[in-house]
Amino acid sequence: MPTAVLWFPAGAVAAHVFEEFVWPGGFAAWYRRYPPGQNVTVTPQFLLVMNAVLAALALLPPVLGATPRGLGFWIVVAAIAAVNAVFHIVATVRTHAYSPGVVTGVVVYLPLALIGGVWLLHDHLVASGTVAQAILIAVAYQTWSTWKHRRNALTRMNSRVDG
């Protein structure tokens, strides 16, 4: 396996974060308005922590090398990225407006997961169970994140009504 491939998840995350927050940017403000009808509490600290954790995970493959653990983290990051791409696509379709991150989601994240996952499986570099676990982790993260934001929105709305 070429060593450069181990850096692909980190490069993908960097490109995606750049699109969301630098150019064209605007993700934080956009996310506070999404989903339609909910005012979601999104703090800079939350966004920093979530992106820092994903960036740290994306750096594990080059640090660990082409080992089972390193490639396991590679596929976990790719799966999280793919689920995030689907989130951006759904948000763009629902709102009929650009979701900061949808371009890199479609152009970078989805091919990373699909092509990379097939390649890792085809060359027997990861087991199908590892891929299944990565997908479950990614879906669980997105489900938890959505639930958390909806709960925060409800808590905020209830505190306004009570106050």
Side-chain angles (χ1 to χ4, degrees):
M1 161 182 272
T3 306
V5 173
L6 296 171
W7 287 95
F8 284 8
V13 169
H16 187 72
V17 169
F18 186 84
E19 179 188 359
E20 286 184 330
F21 298 103
V22 179
W23 186 81
F27 178 76
W30 173 87
Y31 198 33
R32 287 184 187 103
R33 296 185 307 271
Y34 182 81
Q38 287 189 14
N39 187 4
V40 181
T41 305
V42 178
T43 65
Q45 295 84 2
F46 172 78
L47 295 172
L48 178 66
V49 168
M50 295 310 293
N51 284 292
V53 167
L54 185 58
L57 287 174
L59 290 173
L60 288 175
V63 169
L64 297 171
T67 63
R69 184 170 282 166
L71 296 175
F73 279 111
W74 196 103
I75 198 67
V76 165
V77 173
I80 291 170
V83 170
N84 185 260
V86 171
F87 162 79
H88 282 284
I89 293 165
V90 168
T92 297
V93 169
R94 277 181 151 177
T95 62
H96 305 288
Y98 167 74
S99 164
V102 72
V103 174
T104 51
V106 170
V107 175
V108 180
Y109 275 2
L110 287 179
L112 175 75
L114 296 174
I115 295 168
V118 168
W119 178 52
L120 290 172
L121 282 170
H122 179 267
D123 286 1
H124 305 287
L125 297 170
V126 297
S128 57
T130 302
V131 173
Q133 289 174 357
I135 293 167
L136 287 173
I137 290 166
V139 170
Y141 167 76
Q142 188 62 48
T143 302
W144 170 81
S145 178
T146 301
W147 170 81
K148 180 186 178 305
H149 290 303
R150 286 185 180 156
R151 186 191 65 167
N152 286 349
L154 285 172
T155 301
R156 189 171 183 184
M157 286 178 10
N158 288 340
S159 68
R160 286 182 185 166
V161 171
D162 295 339

